[in-house]
C-alpha cells in the first residue's frame, strides 16, 4: 500500500521538485534530476548533475533509459519521434545496457509497464500516433503539464 501511495503522490512531488529547482536556478545553480516530470527541463542531459563527470573524463552513461527518452523527444521539439529514432540514438551512443532493459524501455515507450518509471508524464510530452513499433511522441511547451492539471482537478 505504501508503494501505491508513493506512486500516486509522485506527480505532485515532481511538480514541487521542479518549483524548488527553479528557485535554485534563480540563484545561479544548475539543476538536473532523475525525476520524469522534470526531465525535459534538466540543465544537463545526464540526470543528477553528473554531466561534467562524464563529459570531462570521456566516460559514458546509460542512454537507454526513459529519462533519456524524454530528453530525446524534448530535443526534437515539435517533431514526431518514433521508437526507432530513439533506439538509433541509443545505439549511436553504445546501445542499451542489456536486451531486457531495451525491452522494458520499449514497453514503457508504448504506455505499458510501471507508470512510476515512464517518460509519459514528463512535462510537454504527448502521444500523437502509432507506427509499427508503437507510440509516436512529440514535445512542445504548449502540450501542457498533466501534473498541474492533476493539481487543478483536486480543487
Amino acid at each position: 500500500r505504501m508503494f501505491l501511495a508513493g506512486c500516486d503522490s509522485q506527480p505532485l512531488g515532481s511538480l514541487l521538485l521542479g518549483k524548488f529547482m527553479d528557485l535554485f536556478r534563480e540563484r545561479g545553480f544548475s539543476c538536473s534530476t532523475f525525476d520524469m516530470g522534470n526531465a525535459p527541463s534538466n540543465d544537463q542531459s545526464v540526470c543528477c548533475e553528473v554531466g561534467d563527470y562524464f563529459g570531462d573524463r570521456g566516460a559514458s552513461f546509460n542512454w537507454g533509459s526513459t529519462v533519456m527518452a524524454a530528453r530525446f523527444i524534448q530535443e526534437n521539439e515539435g517533431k514526431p519521434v518514433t521508437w526507432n529514432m530513439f533506439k538509433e540514438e541509443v545505439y549511436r551512443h553504445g546501445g542499451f545496457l542489456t536486451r531486457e532493459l531495451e525491452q522494458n524501455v520499449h514497453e514503457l515507450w508504448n504506455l505499458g509497464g510501471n507508470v512510476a518509471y515512464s517518460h509519459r508524464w514528463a512535462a510537454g510530452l504527448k502521444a500523437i500516433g502509432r507506427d509499427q513499433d508503437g507510440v509516436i511522441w512529440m514535445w512542445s511547451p504548449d502540450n501542457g503539464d498533466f501534473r498541474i492539471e492533476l493539481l487543478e482537478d483536486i480543487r
Side-chain angles (χ1 to χ4, degrees):
R1 291 180 195 223
M2 189 63 169
F3 177 75
L4 292 177
C7 288
D8 289 345
S9 65
Q10 190 173 0
L12 297 178
S14 168
L15 187 59
L16 289 172
L17 177 60
K19 298 300 180 189
F20 281 121
M21 289 167 60
D22 289 343
L23 291 173
F24 283 108
R25 285 185 182 112
E26 288 173 9
R27 289 161 179 79
F29 288 90
S30 179
C31 298
S32 301
T33 177
F34 195 78
D35 169 68
M36 291 300 172
N38 294 302
S41 64
N42 281 348
D43 294 322
Q44 296 181 353
S45 291
V46 185
C47 74
C48 311
E49 287 299 300
V50 297
D52 293 342
Y53 174 82
F54 289 100
D56 292 345
R57 294 184 171 88
S60 189
F61 64 96
N62 179 19
W63 286 83
S65 70
T66 52
V67 168
M68 295 312 296
R71 293 290 293 189
F72 182 73
I73 297 164
Q74 182 262 335
E75 289 166 0
N76 285 277
E77 180 176 352
K79 299 176 190 165
V81 179
T82 66
W83 168 254
N84 275 337
M85 291 169 68
F86 174 63
K87 187 170 132 177
E88 285 175 16
E89 180 71 3
V90 172
Y91 277 96
R92 194 171 69 78
H93 291 283
F96 292 85
L97 295 178
T98 66
R99 179 75 180 127
E100 182 180 8
L101 178 61
E102 180 176 351
Q103 291 169 342
N104 289 339
V105 173
H106 190 213
E107 181 181 18
L108 289 162
W109 181 276
N110 287 316
L111 302 171
N114 185 336
V115 71
Y117 303 105
S118 178
H119 66 289
R120 70 182 174 195
W121 53 280
L125 263 63
K126 184 176 184 178
I128 61 163
R130 296 188 67 81
D131 70 3
Q132 68 276 5
D133 295 308
V135 175
I136 299 171
W137 294 91
M138 185 181 288
W139 185 89
S140 170
D142 299 332
N143 284 344
D145 187 337
F146 100 95
R147 301 169 304 165
I148 293 171
E149 295 164 10
L150 178 65
L151 188 58
E152 289 172 347
D153 286 345
I154 293 172
R155 289 192 257 167

